[in-house]
Amino acid sequence: MRLTYIAFVLLGLFWGSNFLYMKMATRVLTRSQFHCVGHFAVMAVVATAYYYYAIVKGTALLPSGAAGILGGSIAMFTTIATLLFLRSEKLNGMMAGGVLLGFCGIALIARPCEVLGRTIDICGVLWMLSATSILGVSYVYVRRFLAPYNLPPLALATWQTGLALVVLLLLTDTTGIQNILQDWHATAGVVVGLGVLGTGTAFLLYYYLLQELGAVAASGATYVTPIVALSISWIAGEPVGILEIGAVLLVIASIAMLQIGRQRAQRGSVGISAIIPAKGI
């Protein structure tokens, strides 16, 4: 009976708040944005639908702390993608060291051979890395193909999640999906944790940071992801040892070095651009 009351209240809350969300969406969604629908579709399929599937698949095979640490590699893959696909980004020693540290952290988590009597599913690691690498490339994709249009963050988030919902509805096998209602923790986690916060709010914040800070800097929000994931994993009773702590420290150091290296590269490019015109005078 308690579950029924909770479901009743949640349904009223979500339906009642929908009118505000629709009002907000109608203010930012315009017909002129249809010329970007191809880019929206790419982001929906690759950076949302596939990303979510891969993350869930990887997390199902790994301890949540290990999955969270691997999730922190987004900044590393974003840096690699910007160096490969954006001419404005130049590699320096600090950034190279950050990428190397990031891979060391990943290797420490992956540990395909048995270490200290503990093993980890390498397939789970590969699913997580495919997800984070895809998301890293998506930052660059947005910066290159969508950022020039200067669209509102809410519009970008609405298009991306809306199209992704259609894709997932068409491809997902929903057999037995009602069983999740048997556990109110799972229900609240899916609806509030993954839906409202982890998807809607997260994408809104993601596009805002991307607009204000740029691709690599925005991905720096992943600083806190490994720490939070590992802490919650420990609180939930999952084993957390020296390997996990060492891996999270390496990943955080990697992100820091990537950020510092990028800032130095930007200052260097500004300095060169200021000197070259002076020589030409």
Side-chain angles (χ1 to χ4, degrees), residues 97-180:
V99 172
L100 180 61
L101 273 186
F103 278 115
C104 289
I106 290 172
L108 200 58
I109 280 295
R111 55 180 189 275
C113 57
E114 185 173 345
V115 179
L116 299 180
R118 293 158 60 185
T119 59
I120 197 165
D121 194 321
I122 194 64
C123 289
V125 173
L126 294 177
W127 276 112
M128 290 298 300
L129 293 181
S130 72
T132 54
S133 60
I134 283 291
L135 198 61
V137 173
S138 77
Y139 278 89
V140 178
Y141 187 91
V142 170
R143 179 175 168 181
R144 184 168 182 178
F145 296 107
L146 286 173
Y149 295 106
N150 199 30
L151 299 175
L154 183 58
L156 294 167
T158 303
W159 278 106
Q160 180 173 336
T161 54
L163 291 174
L165 175 61
V166 174
V167 172
L168 290 172
L169 285 175
L170 292 174
L171 299 179
T172 302
D173 181 4
T174 59
T175 304
I177 196 172
Q178 69 278 4
N179 292 334
I180 198 170

Side-chain angles (χ1 to χ4, degrees), residues 206-254:
Y206 154 64
Y207 278 119
Y208 173 76
L209 291 175
L210 189 63
Q211 186 179 58
E212 296 295 319
L213 302 178
V216 176
S219 68
T222 53
Y223 267 116
V224 297
T225 300
I227 300 174
V228 173
L230 195 63
S231 299
I232 294 176
S233 173
W234 177 71
I235 293 172
E238 293 184 359
V240 174
I242 190 65
L243 292 177
E244 287 78 11
I245 295 174
V248 78
L249 291 176
L250 286 174
V251 170
I252 292 173
S254 167

